Amino acid sequence: MKPIGLYRKFLFFSLIFAIATPVCAGVPTEKIKDTTEKILSIVTDPDLKGPDRDKERKALIREVVDERFDWEELSRRALARHWRKLNEEQKKEFIILFGKLLERTYLDRVEGYSGEQVTYVNEVIEGEYALVEIKVLTTKGTEIPVNYKLRKKGEDWRVYDIAIEGVSLVNNYRVQFNDIITKSSYEELVKKLQEKVAEK
Amino acid sequence: MVQVLFAVIMFCVVLEPFPALGETEADLRVEVVSTFNGPRRSAATKGAPYSEGTIDESSQFRVAQGGAAERDTEEDVLRDPFAERDKPAAEETPDTIADPLEPINRAFFVFNDKLYFWVLKPVAKGYGAVVPEQARVAVKNFFYNLAFPVRFVNCFLQGKVNGAFMEMGRFFTNTFIGAAGFIDVATLTGNFGKYDEDLGQSFGSHGVGPGFYINWPILGPSSLRDTVGAVGDAFLDPISILIDPSGYTIAANALDLVNNTSLRLGDYEDLKRAALDPYISVRDAYYQNRKSKIRE
């Protein structure tokens, strides 16, 4: 009887462990999880399917995304050294424009959701900064590592960068922005951003 | 031709002895960290100006702890403990790859763009309409499995002995149980880790920088280092056009290309839609992705 008892105990504890692991994962992971689940519930909601509910669905996702992403931090990091040269007015304008572009990019990605599975791999907290590593398993069987970088803001954690397959979004835009600004001007960058956001 | 490969291998060996030889820890992470404690540590703490693939880029913990004190407070707003240490976010010029061939590269970018939209995409779409997705995934698995020698040798070149055995396990599992590699049994059972290593990464792991960016017609983004690496890898690739430019290998490669494209339709379009300058965006994505692969 004893081995069976031991086996049961093992099973019991492994079960507890399996359930407890994500809970122990920490606040940043919880936040990312919460946002991901909210978005998934919107994209998989049968009531919100179809082109006639398009606007409503997008607005709902946008609300959830706005809550989690720190557009100002993202803008500042993407412009890097060029950020300091802007006045308050320009900064505000830029945050809105860049936020719109990122939102659209993000919306494009989640709108194409087709049953991908998300697993939470790792979490690193470094003072007020956190890194949440997840893996997305596509329906075609490829694993895509996605890293969220977050910063603590009050009691909340907000995303300041996402890296997909090692490619950081902020870095990618930083190189583009820097190239455009150094080759032409900041005004040209704003013009390009406006055109891009206006694209359907 | 074999001599060339041998020379390349010898070059790597001479350049630096395997840092983690004999390391058989199951976890890749552990293996990588142990490499950091090896001979290169001192070089990295000095802050090598350009050190792709060395430890300071890779160890996020160490970066976070060591980097904070040295960073100037004025740019504290851009602090990112998870970025690489020698290329902080606030640096004057962003971390990117040298691109002296930009005008030519851009011309080929336009060419490849047209090639994708006018030729490759329609063909891949038609192919995808005829061949079901599951079959296409199987074809992808088959070609991936076939290129096992490349990964196997490069695991060794990077001192990832454990990775080499994992890859060997994958290869035998998928070849014999997974119907000649069409079914990726190894991933399904989760027994073997994936080590997608190539010669460009092997060079990188030994401290060789990317050189400069090359956007090849048809083949797309590469660097000087990775181009040399790809030529070296061709000797281990059973269906390399470079080694055996016969009708069979050309057909096999064409199938591989169309098949892969059919599974990734929309990715390039998404990237283009999100980018202000798609050329720069692709270039940077290539650079960052390779860097992260070398770091692993």
Side-chain angles (χ1 to χ4, degrees), chain B residues 29-46:
Chain B
R29 223 165 258 284
V30 178
E31 200 172 287
V32 172
V33 169
S34 68
T35 314
F36 298 156
N37 297 329
R40 280 250 225 58
R41 198 182 171 180
S42 55
T45 31
K46 266 182 253 157

Side-chain angles (χ1 to χ4, degrees), chain A residues 77 81 108 160 168 173 200, chain B residues 79-80 92 273-274 288:
Chain A
R77 285 168 186 274
R81 66 185 171 120
D108 281 350
Y160 69 81
S168 140
Y173 278 112
K200 264 266 160 179
Chain B
R79 197 176 98 83
D80 183 355
E92 287 301 288
R273 212 168 112 81
Q288 284 199 59

Side-chain angles (χ1 to χ4, degrees), chain A residues 68-196:
Chain A
R68 189 55 50 222
F69 284 68
D70 191 339
W71 303 124
E72 189 182 337
E73 190 86 19
L74 276 152
S75 304
R76 182 168 31 210
R77 285 168 186 274
L79 274 181
R81 66 185 171 120
H82 303 291
W83 177 259
R84 272 172 289 165
K85 295 173 203 150
L86 304 185
N87 59 39
E88 286 309 309
E89 212 61 359
Q90 285 173 311
K91 281 180 185 171
K92 263 186 202 148
E93 182 197 27
F94 187 85
I95 294 166
I96 292 168
L97 271 175
F98 189 40
K100 271 188 184 162
L101 177 65
L102 289 175
E103 256 178 4
R104 202 191 61 182
T105 308
Y106 199 79
L107 277 175
D108 281 350
R109 294 274 151 88
V110 293
E111 287 270 286
Y113 179 79
S114 53
E116 286 85 355
Q117 284 170 355
V118 178
T119 40
Y120 296 83
V121 182
N122 193 19
E123 178 189 279
V124 184
I125 300 178
E126 204 53 64
E128 56 176 354
Y129 295 89
L131 177 77
V132 175
E133 294 176 20
I134 69 168
K135 270 207 170 118
V136 179
L137 184 69
T138 68
T139 46
K140 289 156 195 160
T142 15
E143 252 186 2
I144 304 167
V146 178
N147 290 357
Y148 283 94
K149 293 179 188 176
L150 302 98
R151 191 174 180 185
K152 202 170 185 180
K153 249 198 168 178
E155 277 311 295
D156 204 12
W157 289 87
R158 305 286 289 269
V159 174
Y160 69 81
D161 195 7
I162 313 175
I164 301 163
E165 287 185 277
V167 181
S168 140
L169 192 82
V170 163
N171 273 347
N172 197 278
Y173 278 112
R174 186 184 296 148
V175 177
Q176 292 182 58
F177 291 167
N178 185 60
D179 193 74
I180 293 166
I181 293 172
T182 46
K183 276 183 186 160
S184 41
S185 65
Y186 174 74
E187 284 67 36
E188 182 64 27
L189 172 66
V190 173
K191 215 182 104 202
K192 282 196 165 158
L193 266 174
Q194 279 164 340
E195 283 168 9
K196 199 81 209 178

Side-chain angles (χ1 to χ4, degrees), chain B residues 192-256:
Chain B
F192 303 102
K194 220 174 190 173
Y195 290 80
D196 190 9
E197 310 297 350
D198 55 53
L199 195 52
Q201 290 179 57
S202 299
F203 287 146
S205 77
H206 290 282
V208 181
F212 51 84
Y213 183 65
I214 306 173
N215 187 38
W216 290 101
I218 305 169
L219 301 171
S222 190
S223 65
L224 181 64
R225 175 196 62 206
D226 295 340
T227 300
V228 173
V231 172
D233 283 336
F235 291 95
L236 294 167
D237 183 359
I239 51 157
S240 169
I241 295 178
L242 203 69
I243 308 302
D244 172 28
S246 70
Y248 292 111
T249 49
I250 292 167
N253 278 281
L255 172 63
D256 191 20

Side-chain angles (χ1 to χ4, degrees), chain B residues 118-164:
Chain B
W118 294 351
V119 184
L120 201 51
K121 191 178 172 183
V123 171
K125 259 190 164 168
Y127 169 82
V130 181
V131 185
E133 190 177 285
Q134 272 184 319
R136 284 180 282 141
V137 171
V139 169
K140 189 180 125 194
N141 290 340
F142 173 77
F143 281 116
Y144 188 84
N145 191 55
L146 208 60
F148 151 75
V150 176
R151 297 187 292 274
F152 182 72
V153 169
N154 281 294
C155 275
F156 273 113
L157 291 179
Q158 292 169 39
K160 293 177 180 169
V161 178
N162 183 47

